[in-house]
Amino acid sequence: SVSAFLLNRSSDLSLEIPVLLAALGPMRRGEICALTMDDIDFERHIVHVRKSMVEDENKQWVIKFPKSTAGFRDIEYPEYVTDLIKEKGYIVKANPDTVSSHLRRVLQRHGIKHFRFHDLRHYAASFLLALDIPPVYVMERGGWQSQQSMKRYVHALEKQKAEFGSKANAEFEKLFMG
């Protein structure tokens, strides 16, 4: 159902950027909602993840730093994703709950089996792993932290990071751009 939704790019253009950021990133909905245009390096096609929109104790949406250091990351995207953001002039004008409810309505309207917005992150991780991209790189790209992995790896090597980013983006280009 995630694949059906992603391949039906006309499903809802207001969700296009958040969905691409989650399904190709993989970014969390709170991270996406906290992004500003200053977080995008349009020349290098990199999204700088440095904050997240979360509910505070008063049920108000606020911007905070990620829960762990793994949440601070730079994600290289296919050029068409950053071009789309530049063209629209914004990323998303909603809070995480609004994004999720909008997705539910769109799925229902198009007869696509329900899935959570968060499932787009799982889709991205599975896609990257299916490309034989090492789990340490997938963990870094998605901002996941695991003690077991952290003991074995200090960080992804910069050369490999660029190589795997290019490989992942080339496959995403094929999938989404035909």
Side-chain angles (χ1 to χ4, degrees):
S1 60
V2 173
S3 295
F5 178 74
L6 292 173
L7 293 174
N8 182 6
R9 294 189 65 203
S10 63
S11 291
D12 192 292
L13 296 178
S14 67
L15 280 175
E16 187 174 21
I17 291 171
V19 165
L20 288 171
L21 292 173
L24 309 183
M27 288 183 66
R28 296 168 179 91
R29 63 189 187 138
E31 293 168 339
I32 294 165
C33 291
L35 286 175
T36 66
M37 296 299 277
D38 292 336
D39 296 317
I40 314 297
D41 178 337
F42 292 102
E43 187 175 309
R44 295 175 34 223
H45 314 291
I46 293 174
V47 173
H48 304 288
V49 182
R50 304 286 184 265
K51 55 196 179 286
S52 186
M53 184 180 287
V54 297
E55 270 189 318
D56 67 10
E57 59 280 350
N58 300 316
K59 301 286 185 192
Q60 298 296 311
W61 290 103
V62 296
I63 305 296
K64 291 197 172 187
F65 291 116
K67 293 183 214 176
S68 71
T69 55
F72 290 90
R73 60 202 191 279
D74 294 334
I75 305 169
E76 183 182 353
Y77 279 89
E79 186 175 339
Y80 72 89
V81 175
T82 55
D83 286 353
L84 182 62
I85 292 169
K86 187 183 230 177
E87 178 186 311
K88 285 194 174 191
Y90 66 93
I91 293 105
V92 64
K93 296 178 181 177
N95 66 50
D97 283 348
T98 303
V99 169
S100 291
S101 8
H102 189 57
L103 176 64
R104 276 192 301 278
R105 287 191 304 275
V106 168
L107 293 174
Q108 195 171 40
R109 183 174 47 226
H110 290 280
I112 299 171
K113 184 180 174 197
H114 172 76
F115 62 86
R116 301 168 305 147
F117 190 86
H118 189 76
D119 293 333
L120 295 166
R121 280 176 49 81
H122 297 283
Y123 171 86
S126 299
F127 189 87
L128 294 169
L129 291 169
L131 295 173
D132 291 326
I133 293 176
V136 67
Y137 171 77
V138 176
M139 286 175 45
E140 181 182 305
R141 188 170 174 116
W144 288 290
Q145 187 174 32
S146 124
Q147 289 183 4
Q148 181 181 7
S149 293
M150 292 301 287
K151 286 178 187 173
R152 287 186 285 171
Y153 307 99
V154 175
H155 64 281
L157 299 174
E158 287 304 311
K159 181 179 175 189
Q160 289 176 321
K161 181 178 175 182
E163 174 188 321
F164 296 134
S166 296
K167 181 178 179 180
N169 289 335
E171 290 301 320
F172 287 135
E173 290 268 354
K174 285 183 212 171
L175 182 65
F176 290 100
M177 300 308 285

